Amino acid sequence: MRAWPFVASLSLGLVPVVLFAAMAGMLVVNSLPALDNPGLDQLTRNEFASQFSTGARIYGIVPAVVGTLLVAFVAVAIALPVSLAMAIMATEFTLGPLGKLLRTLLGVLGGIPSIVYALLAVVLVEQFMIPKFAGDMTFPTFDAAKIGASPQTWPPGDVPFNAGAYPWDPTGLNNSTLLGGILIALLIIPFMAPLMADAISNVPRSLREASLAVGANRWFTLRKVTLPLAVPGMLGALSLGLLKAMGDAMIVIFVVGWQANSAPNPFFDVLERTAPLTATSAGLLGGFQGNSGTCQAVACHVGYFSAFMLLLVALVVVLATTVLQARLRRRIAL
Amino acid sequence: MSSTRATALSLPAVRRLSIDRLLAGAYVTTGLVAVTAALVALLENDAEMLAVPLLAAVTLVALANLAYRWFVLRKWDAGAIVVASLAVAGALILLALPEYLYGYEINGIIHRSIFAAPVLLVGGLPATSVGVQRLSGGTPSAQDLSRYPVLLVPIFIAFGAYTLLLVRLVSDGVGELSWDVLTHKYTETLEPTGFVYSAGLRTHILGTFMLIGLTSAISIGPGVGAGIFVSEFRNPFTHVVTFSTTMLRAISVFIIGVAAFSLVVDFAQDYPAGDPISDFIRGSYEDENGFQHAANGSFLTASIFLSFLVIPVIARATEEGLRSVPRKIREGSIALGATEGHGLLRILLPWAMPNIITGLLLGAAEAAGSVAILLFIAGTGQHGIGPLHEATSLSFAIFETKYGPKPFQDTMTQYQFTAALLLLIITLGLTAVALLIKGRFTARYRATLAGG
């Protein structure tokens, strides 16, 4: 018979296990019917027409998967160099009190909820997206010849910026994948940077001091000693940031929208709106009604299936990171 | 050495030094101006006009450096060639581009200034770096100093973006902030003329605190328990618990929302209002005629699902706290004959308390801001506050201003920035207290623990 601390902490500690198992089981049970009714054939089509658009209902989740990858790529591509610079600044290259200040600021910024970023998307639209990707096109004085449109057809009648008449659509910039990616990058920077800083400061002090003692400067030490040894920790931070970027729902629901009818063409077109898995799943489960969502059986199962895909992605990323970290650690073992 | 190579161009050493510094200063000045112009060009399209002249200036300074070093010092200046060629290449690219790029069916026309910013950075940063290095003597530690511009620019851009967003939030949020909005709740009442809606954030504010309180109460036990189990006991279950808490942390918050949907909408919908199962899971409210209705989800349910998010945070914090207990304190307690339970309650947990409180506060802040979990199980907040009433929070109110019922949108959209500002004050307050405890009070508290 063990003492009570063991029994108590085991029974409490099993709560998260039960929670996780119940959630995974629920997702599997509810998403299995999706393999039956829309069928794997339809699920893997690059076409999506959901219940709130008229016509045939086609539940291909390829557009959503592409959307998830695009949003996560944009977010990580922006957040990685910035967090790396912040991590270096907070640990090895502190400038007086600036390193400590940076750590505090990151801690505080980490407390900003994602819905606040989602709401503030409008600022980035006004200050960045429209000027950069529509220019002065939204003004009536715009010289259409600049972009090759004939002056007679500009502005395009009483339906301004009709996406059918012109290949580009400034109003579509409000919902572009790029905008969602930038906001998610702002969300994950305060999350990744402290983790990366920890990875750097976890490198044994003796190694850094040995490098400095034989005459290397701090930059050389950072590049040749500290950063290579911190790579496993950095990888952990990167994978957590990636998972957060892929799993974010509020920013993409608010900014990018609920559904994408097809993957963007060309596939790297981040100015198109391509709703990721989270948003598509939420839309299918009835979240677009704000509350009391009731969804039809098929749509519901596809919604669960999309969520299950997210869980799978999380599992794969966590496992891959663990394996990679173990290999790297073995290689750089001292 | 230089005396053997004396030419007509040779200068006295003192003047040579000052010319050297002058040229390095020119590097720093033009480089910094180019970097500043790049930052401006990120927001102002017209700033791209500055790009080509500034790159030309950088090139000129680099060429001047090259010439001076070659003709006077007889040294080959590779840095200047790199800087000059980068600047020239950038300027040529910019000159070759039209004002708008479009085509390939990309959904937008790309303004040239989006290329001007990186090109200016690529031209300006090396110039600044080389200049700083020369100005501070060209020693190895001067090289360290010269890397600061490269590190500072991305940080500056990121904080510029945060400032841009938060300034707008504060200015718009304060504009609509009034005592009336804070103290009234959102209501829908049926008048003879039809429905009348009135705006207010009271239930949303109170609901946020309700969620914070309930979630903390629910998650503190399992969180601390899991943390103790993982750090104090080694057995096969340890890995299972670690894996589960890691996965709960790693999966999307949205999946917890889907789990909530499955319980509240899929499962509880079959039970009518008044049934205890429905009342507990969905919550209920009475309309003005005294009829009982089922709500979208109760505060209790919402808190239970929010605790999925908070338990791993607390578990992690507890684990960290227990690991930091010094060996001598642990061994001292065992040596004096303390039982496992006594040691845990009197020695280990008090030591880990600052970590646990920090984790709890950070988790609570996260719970307050989370919408993805409430997405399917919350309402407009017109039915009051209580563990079995319909859940709502400030963050959900913001969501509803875009996707909620039409009347709610019409009434509350003007207050969305106010709601966001209040939410930010609550979450940042919790985060700041947590950081304060972690950074300032922990050491003092532990010193008294160890000393007493």
Side-chain angles (χ1 to χ4, degrees):
Chain A
M1 193 66 202
R2 299 290 297 258
W4 67 265
F6 178 78
V7 180
S9 68
L10 174 61
S11 47
L12 285 173
L14 283 181
V15 169
V17 181
V18 173
L19 292 183
F20 177 65
M23 241 163 30
M26 180 278 301
L27 276 182
V28 172
V29 168
N30 280 314
S31 59
L32 277 181
L35 294 177
D36 193 32
N37 192 345
L40 208 56
D41 247 21
Q42 209 187 90
L43 283 173
T44 50
R45 273 169 74 174
N46 183 12
E47 196 179 0
F48 185 93
S50 77
Q51 67 262 45
F52 41 95
S53 63
T54 53
R57 290 169 192 172
I58 299 165
Y59 301 108
I61 58 166
V62 172
V65 173
V66 175
T68 295
L69 295 179
L70 277 181
V71 165
F73 176 78
V74 171
V76 170
I78 296 172
L80 187 61
V82 176
S83 335
L84 188 60
M86 284 182 178
I88 294 173
M89 200 68 195
T91 52
E92 298 287 285
F93 273 67
T94 48
L95 203 63
L98 224 59
K100 208 167 180 196
L101 181 73
L102 190 65
R103 270 192 183 244
T104 314
L105 269 178
L106 285 174
V108 172
L109 286 175
I112 300 181
S114 59
I115 187 85
V116 172
Y117 291 113
L119 184 65
L120 292 170
V122 59
V123 183
L124 280 188
V125 170
E126 287 167 9
Q127 309 265 337
F128 184 77
M129 296 302 289
I130 294 290
K132 293 302 172 212
F133 299 110
D136 45 4
M137 185 180 169
T138 45
F139 302 141
T141 52
F142 179 66
D143 177 14
K146 268 199 239 176
I147 57 166
S150 79
Q152 283 80 25
T153 58
W154 196 269
D158 53 354
V159 223
F161 314 125
N162 181 357
Y166 290 86
W168 46 83
D169 170 20
T171 56
L173 294 175
N174 301 349
N175 308 106
S176 61
T177 317
L178 178 66
L179 182 61
I182 295 175
L183 288 166
I184 293 180
L186 291 179
L187 177 74
I188 63 176
I189 285 171
F191 179 74
M192 276 167 73
L195 292 176
M196 292 193 146
D198 287 345
I200 290 180
S201 44
N202 280 344
V203 172
R205 236 188 132 62
S206 52
L207 291 170
R208 275 178 283 168
E209 280 170 359
S211 163
L212 293 173
V214 292
N217 62 4
R218 281 187 297 156
W219 183 254
F220 187 88
T221 307
L222 183 76
R223 239 166 31 108
K224 297 282 170 166
V225 179
T226 317
L227 281 188
L229 288 173
V231 164
M234 298 259 179
L235 207 64
L238 176 67
S239 87
L240 282 178
L242 184 69
L243 285 172
K244 207 171 162 110
M246 283 180 166
D248 173 83
M250 283 343 287
I251 289 178
V252 291
I253 287 173
F254 230 70
V255 174
V256 184
W258 297 104
Q259 61 156 334
N261 294 327
S262 65
N265 181 29
F267 71 93
F268 53 82
D269 185 3
V270 286
L271 297 177
E272 195 81 63
R273 68 187 289 172
T274 317
L277 279 169
T278 45
T280 308
S281 173
L284 286 169
L285 292 176
F288 60 89
Q289 293 157 351
N291 49 39
S292 72
T294 46
C295 57
Q296 290 104 340
V298 181
C300 223
H301 292 142
V302 179
Y304 281 120
F305 188 78
S306 316
F308 180 59
M309 296 290 289
L310 266 180
L311 185 69
L312 278 188
V313 168
L315 259 174
V316 168
V317 172
V318 167
L319 287 181
T321 316
T322 317
V323 171
L324 257 177
Q325 274 178 328
R327 287 189 148 208
L328 284 171
R329 286 226 171 90
R330 212 175 312 141
R331 185 175 300 170
I332 59 178
L334 301 160
Chain B
M1 188 177 95
S2 58
S3 59
T4 57
R5 261 200 237 147
T7 60
L9 274 167
S10 69
L11 297 166
V14 177
R15 198 182 297 166
R16 193 183 293 166
L17 198 65
S18 68
I19 290 181
D20 218 26
R21 294 182 75 86
L22 197 72
L23 282 171
Y27 254 147
V28 175
T29 319
T30 48
L32 279 183
V33 172
V35 169
T36 315
L39 299 183
V40 175
L42 277 178
L43 287 182
E44 280 297 326
N45 280 357
D46 294 337
E48 60 148 2
M49 307 289 185
L50 298 170
V52 173
L54 281 176
L55 288 173
V58 170
T59 316
L60 278 182
V61 171
L63 289 181
N65 262 288
L66 186 69
Y68 171 74
R69 300 218 142 208
W70 178 246
F71 288 116
V72 179
L73 304 179
R74 289 284 163 198
K75 271 188 197 156
W76 184 243
D77 189 359
I81 295 185
V82 171
V83 171
S85 45
L86 281 176
V88 169
L92 285 181
I93 290 175
L94 279 189
L95 286 174
L97 286 177
E99 189 178 355
Y100 289 103
L101 276 182
Y102 59 96
Y104 303 110
E105 302 201 10
I106 283 176
N107 189 35
I109 50 176
I110 301 169
H111 194 257
R112 189 166 48 198
S113 58
I114 203 110
F115 300 102
V119 159
L120 273 171
L121 280 184
V122 167
L125 274 181
T128 319
S129 281
V130 174
V132 169
Q133 196 171 351
R134 295 254 166 89
L135 268 186
S136 43
T139 56
S141 63
Q143 195 198 9
D144 287 341
L145 208 60
S146 75
R147 300 305 179 207
Y148 277 111
V150 185
L151 291 174
L152 279 171
V153 163
I155 298 176
F156 196 79
I157 292 176
F159 278 107
Y162 288 120
T163 316
L164 200 69
L165 297 186
L166 292 182
V167 163
R168 173 70 172 270
L169 176 67
V170 171
S171 70
D172 279 22
V174 168
E176 293 291 337
L177 191 63
S178 65
W179 189 243
D180 272 1
V181 174
L182 292 182
T183 52
H184 286 74
K185 66 173 192 173
Y186 171 75
T187 53
E188 298 179 10
T189 41
L190 185 60
E191 301 283 321
T193 49
F195 273 103
V196 176
Y197 307 97
S198 75
L201 286 170
R202 195 184 77 192
T203 36
H204 302 116
I205 298 169
L206 292 176
T208 309
F209 285 116
M210 184 80 160
L211 286 177
I212 291 175
L214 279 177
T215 310
S216 310
I218 293 171
S219 46
I220 183 103
V224 172
I228 294 173
F229 186 69
V230 168
S231 96
E232 298 299 304
F233 301 104
R234 289 265 152 243
N235 77 354
F237 276 120
T238 315
H239 291 292
V240 181
V241 175
T242 317
F243 176 75
S244 300
T245 46
T246 314
M247 279 313 287
L248 273 182
R249 228 29 226 141
I251 57 170
S252 162
V253 181
F254 175 73
I255 289 178
I256 303 175
V258 173
F261 170 85
S262 143
L263 181 74
V264 177
V265 184
D266 255 12
F267 171 74
Q269 218 158 38
D270 302 336
Y271 298 89
D275 191 288
I277 292 182
S278 165
D279 279 359
F280 264 100
I281 296 180
R282 290 203 280 172
S284 63
Y285 62 92
E286 256 179 32
D287 65 10
E288 50 270 24
N289 301 324
F291 287 114
Q292 197 81 2
H293 291 275
N296 286 321
S298 65
F299 274 107
L300 193 63
T301 318
S303 305
I304 290 173
F305 282 102
L306 283 172
S307 73
F308 285 31
L309 196 69
V310 184
I311 287 173
V313 181
I314 299 180
R316 194 67 207 268
T318 310
E319 205 189 316
E320 222 169 80
L322 289 176
R323 278 184 207 242
S324 70
V325 178
R327 225 183 141 73
K328 54 180 182 184
I329 290 189
R330 248 173 220 281
E331 286 169 354
S333 118
I334 296 171
L336 289 174
T339 59
E340 210 175 26
H342 186 90
L344 188 67
L345 284 188
R346 295 299 179 82
I347 310 288
L348 299 184
L349 278 186
W351 185 274
M353 200 48 84
N355 288 77
I356 296 175
I357 294 174
T358 306
L360 184 66
L361 290 174
L362 289 178
E366 212 166 313
S370 167
V371 195
I373 294 174
L374 298 180
L375 192 54
F376 306 103
I377 56 166
T380 49
Q382 46 181 318
H383 303 310
I385 295 292
L388 294 182
H389 285 67
E390 191 172 63
T392 193
S393 77
L394 281 169
S395 49
F396 191 69
I398 303 170
F399 174 76
E400 291 263 280
T401 56
K402 184 155 179 183
Y403 289 114
K406 190 82 177 64
F408 187 87
Q409 285 186 33
D410 294 342
T411 328
M412 298 294 285
T413 299
Q414 57 168 322
Y415 299 112
Q416 55 183 358
F417 281 98
T418 312
L421 185 64
L422 293 171
L423 176 65
L424 199 68
I425 291 172
I426 293 174
T427 56
L428 290 194
L430 288 170
T431 317
V433 173
L435 290 178
L436 210 66
I437 291 176
K438 197 178 181 184
R440 188 154 301 172
F441 296 123
T442 307
R444 202 186 304 163
Y445 167 80
R446 283 184 180 160
T448 57
L449 261 193

